């Protein structure tokens, strides 16, 4: 097993890309890690790099999941390549890719795989110091001007919704750069309706993807499975997936493998879903994110969608807290869109109430508007009993909200 550390810098990505090329060609199994992560060393140890690797494993994607337990997702070269081919087939054929997300996660790693399959190296956005719209603009210019195969496109990139939102808010240069792509694949978190509408209005082709490490990245695009992928709903409307892109299990954990993968080749996900009349899959949220308050089941994702439909809300996360009367009570954290300083607002650099605790300037009027909006869309049971405003949502991984940290916000 070859352990490769990548911090998002172009040099480290190039080293990872070389190791991936070897792994896809039958070489040593690749284990990508981010050296900046406080769990990098514990994840490396949990993957037991000195022990024999399970057969037919090209890449191991380590994940801590929502429970914090380290797992290593085993991916074959055939699964990674099947995913890359199916993605190109859906988007419009092989093309040039911009890598703009961490390559140690499956979404970024698949950008490298797709670029290799297309026969032209990816352009790498340096995200070692974080994502910056101006750097995205410069990287896009580099991608569009690079000679070689597919120099006329198509052009693709993959982002998380937070990155797309920042581009759309950054001004005309960033919006123009985003609109230059034939497709921007959105993963890592749900693409809410309001952000999708803003992207479409700006001429940006945003493609919502659903998938996970166990499916070699996104395998359902805009609600419909990629070629070779099948979707069904199991017990309790749990989403189940099958096809050539599936992982073949977890590193040294046959118990977890048997629990997640059926004998006839289906993956039991941790998500609940439904189907539109046109057959499109709707992801309602994780099984453990289905809220039960007073005997009424409420999907957390539905409440989040209602909250982010308000034009002054950039992001939202909804969780359940124990309640002796209702069983669970709904609590929500929102990130308001920034406002221009006015007479009743502190100017930039002044300390607002709650700054030292990391909370945003409270807006009582906004809280009441949001409660009314949720009540109108989803009914009284779905209205959050607690609302907090933060400058940003706590994240774990690219675009994934740390729900445990969100719950901790309500501990004080």
């Amino acid at each position: 097993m070859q352990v490769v550390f990548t911090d998002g810098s172009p040099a480290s990505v190039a080293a990872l890309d070389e190791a991936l090329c070897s792994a896809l060609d039958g070489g040593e199994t690749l284990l990508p890690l981010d050296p900046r992560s406080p769990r990098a060393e514990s994840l490396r140890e949990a993957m037991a790099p000195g022990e024999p690797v399970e057969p037919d494993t090209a890449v191991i994607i380590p994940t801590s999941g929502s429970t914090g337990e380290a797992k290593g997702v085993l991916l074959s070269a055939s699964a990674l390549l099947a995913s890359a081919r199916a993605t190109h087939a859906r988007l419009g054929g092989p093309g040039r890719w911009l890598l703009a997300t961490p390559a140690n996660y499956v979404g970024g790693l698949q950008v490298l795989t797709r670029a290799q399959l297309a026969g032209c190296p990816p352009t790498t956005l340096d995200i070692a110091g974080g994502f910056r719209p101006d750097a995205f603009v410069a990287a896009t210019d580099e991608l569009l001007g690079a000679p070689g195969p597919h120099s006329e496109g198509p052009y693709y990139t993959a982002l998380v919704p937070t990155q797309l939102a920042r581009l759309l808010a950054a001004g005309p240069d960033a919006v123009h750069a985003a609109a230059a792509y034939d497709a921007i694949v959105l993963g890592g978190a749900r693409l809410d309706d309001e952000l999708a509408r803003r992207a479409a209005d700006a001429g940006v082709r945003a493609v919502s993807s659903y998938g996970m490490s166990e499916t070699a990245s996104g395998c359902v695009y805009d609600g419909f499975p990629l070629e070779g992928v099948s979707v069904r709903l199991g017990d309790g409307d749990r989403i189940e997936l099958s096809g050539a892109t599936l992982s073949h299990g977890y590193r040294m954990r046959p118990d977890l493998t048997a629990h997640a993968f059926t004998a006839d080749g289906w993956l039991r996900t941790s998500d609940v879903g439904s189907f539109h009349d046109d057959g499109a899959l709707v992801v309602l949220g994780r099984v453990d994110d289905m809220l039960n308050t007073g005997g009424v089941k409420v999907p957390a994702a539905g409440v989040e969608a209602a909250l982010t439909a308000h034009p002054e809300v950039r992001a939202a996360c909804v969780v359940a807290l124990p309640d002796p009367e209702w069983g669970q009570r709904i609590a929500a954290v929102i990130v308001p869109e920034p406002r221009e300083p006015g007479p009743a607002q502190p100017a930039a650099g002044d300390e607002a109430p709650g700054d030292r605790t990391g909370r945003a300037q409270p807006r009582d009027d906004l809280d009441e508007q949001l409660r009314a909006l949720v009540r109108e869309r989803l009914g009284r049971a779905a209205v959050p009993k607690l609302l907090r405003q933060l400058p940003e949502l706590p994240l774990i991984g690219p675009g994934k909200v740390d729900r445990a940290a969100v719950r901790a916000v309500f501990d004080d």
Side-chain angles (χ1 to χ4, degrees):
M1 183 189 307
Q2 182 179 5
V3 181
V4 178
F5 291 95
T6 176
D7 60 4
S9 65
S12 69
V13 169
L16 178 64
D17 194 33
E18 182 178 354
L20 174 63
C21 181
S22 173
L24 292 175
D25 198 35
E28 194 172 5
T29 299
L30 169 64
L31 173 65
L33 293 171
D34 184 346
R36 300 166 299 177
S37 169
R39 300 202 65 214
E41 186 56 31
S42 62
L43 285 174
R44 189 194 70 82
E45 292 178 359
M47 297 305 102
E51 297 296 324
V53 177
E54 288 83 350
D56 199 27
T57 302
V59 175
I60 299 176
I61 299 292
T63 173
S64 57
S66 59
T67 63
E69 181 184 18
K71 297 186 294 184
V73 178
L74 308 175
L75 291 170
S76 66
S78 61
L80 290 163
L81 292 171
S83 173
R85 292 189 184 99
T87 294
H88 283 156
R90 176 65 58 86
L91 295 182
R96 290 183 173 272
W97 283 87
L98 172 71
L99 175 66
T101 58
N104 58 295
Y105 291 101
V106 72
L109 192 83
Q110 270 298 71
V111 168
L112 300 182
T113 304
R114 296 164 194 154
Q116 290 186 18
L117 195 63
C120 49
T123 297
T124 299
L125 174 64
D126 191 342
I127 57 172
F131 177 80
R132 299 193 339 268
D134 62 328
F136 180 88
V137 173
T140 299
D141 288 342
E142 179 184 347
L143 177 74
L144 299 180
H150 305 293
S151 59
E152 300 299 321
Y155 302 106
Y156 306 122
T157 190
L159 302 175
V160 297
T162 300
Q163 291 174 312
L164 177 60
R166 290 178 180 173
L167 290 174
L168 295 178
D173 288 347
V175 173
H176 180 74
Y181 290 88
D182 293 273
I184 296 180
V185 180
L186 276 298
R190 180 179 59 86
L191 174 63
D192 66 72
D193 293 341
E194 175 62 19
L195 181 57
R197 183 195 62 76
R198 288 167 53 202
D201 289 347
V204 176
R205 183 191 174 195
V207 178
S208 175
S209 74
Y210 168 70
M212 55 214 69
S213 298
E214 288 87 343
T215 61
S217 194
C219 64
V220 177
Y221 280 24
D222 287 336
F224 293 94
L226 296 179
E227 183 178 351
V229 175
S230 296
V231 182
R232 70 184 184 188
L233 299 181
D235 293 341
D237 290 334
R238 183 175 296 216
I239 298 171
E240 298 183 350
L241 304 164
S242 71
T245 70
L246 281 195
S247 159
H248 51 283
Y250 298 105
R251 171 73 170 149
M252 301 178 69
R253 292 299 303 268
D255 56 330
L256 294 179
T257 299
H259 178 74
F261 296 88
T262 68
D264 58 345
W266 288 83
L267 167 69
R268 302 185 189 97
T269 75
S270 298
D271 298 310
V272 176
S274 64
F275 289 109
H276 272 310
D277 292 341
D278 63 0
L281 176 69
V282 180
V283 182
L284 300 176
R286 293 178 61 84
V287 171
D288 52 7
D289 290 334
M290 290 295 291
L291 317 179
N292 191 329
T293 178
V296 179
K297 290 186 178 180
V298 177
V303 182
E304 291 167 357
L307 293 171
T308 54
H310 193 288
E312 292 190 46
V313 176
R314 180 191 303 170
C317 178
V318 173
V319 297
L321 302 177
D323 187 275
E325 179 180 359
W326 298 94
Q328 291 181 328
R329 56 181 164 162
I330 299 175
V333 165
I334 65 162
V335 179
E337 291 285 3
R339 283 181 175 175
E340 293 296 327
Q345 302 238 358
D350 293 342
E351 184 172 324
D355 279 354
R356 292 179 180 177
T357 65
R359 293 183 188 169
Q361 176 76 7
R363 303 179 192 168
D364 294 338
D365 61 327
L366 179 57
D367 285 359
E368 292 310 310
Q369 291 175 32
L370 293 175
R371 287 189 170 98
L373 182 59
V374 173
R375 185 181 300 109
E376 177 186 349
R377 290 191 170 206
L378 301 174
R380 293 176 58 86
V383 175
K385 291 183 168 56
L386 295 173
L387 269 169
R388 291 280 175 84
Q389 299 174 23
L390 295 179
E392 297 289 346
L393 293 179
L395 300 180
I396 177 170
K400 294 184 182 297
V401 179
D402 186 344
R403 293 184 180 272
V406 169
R407 292 186 183 94
V409 168
F410 298 96
D411 287 345
D412 55 5

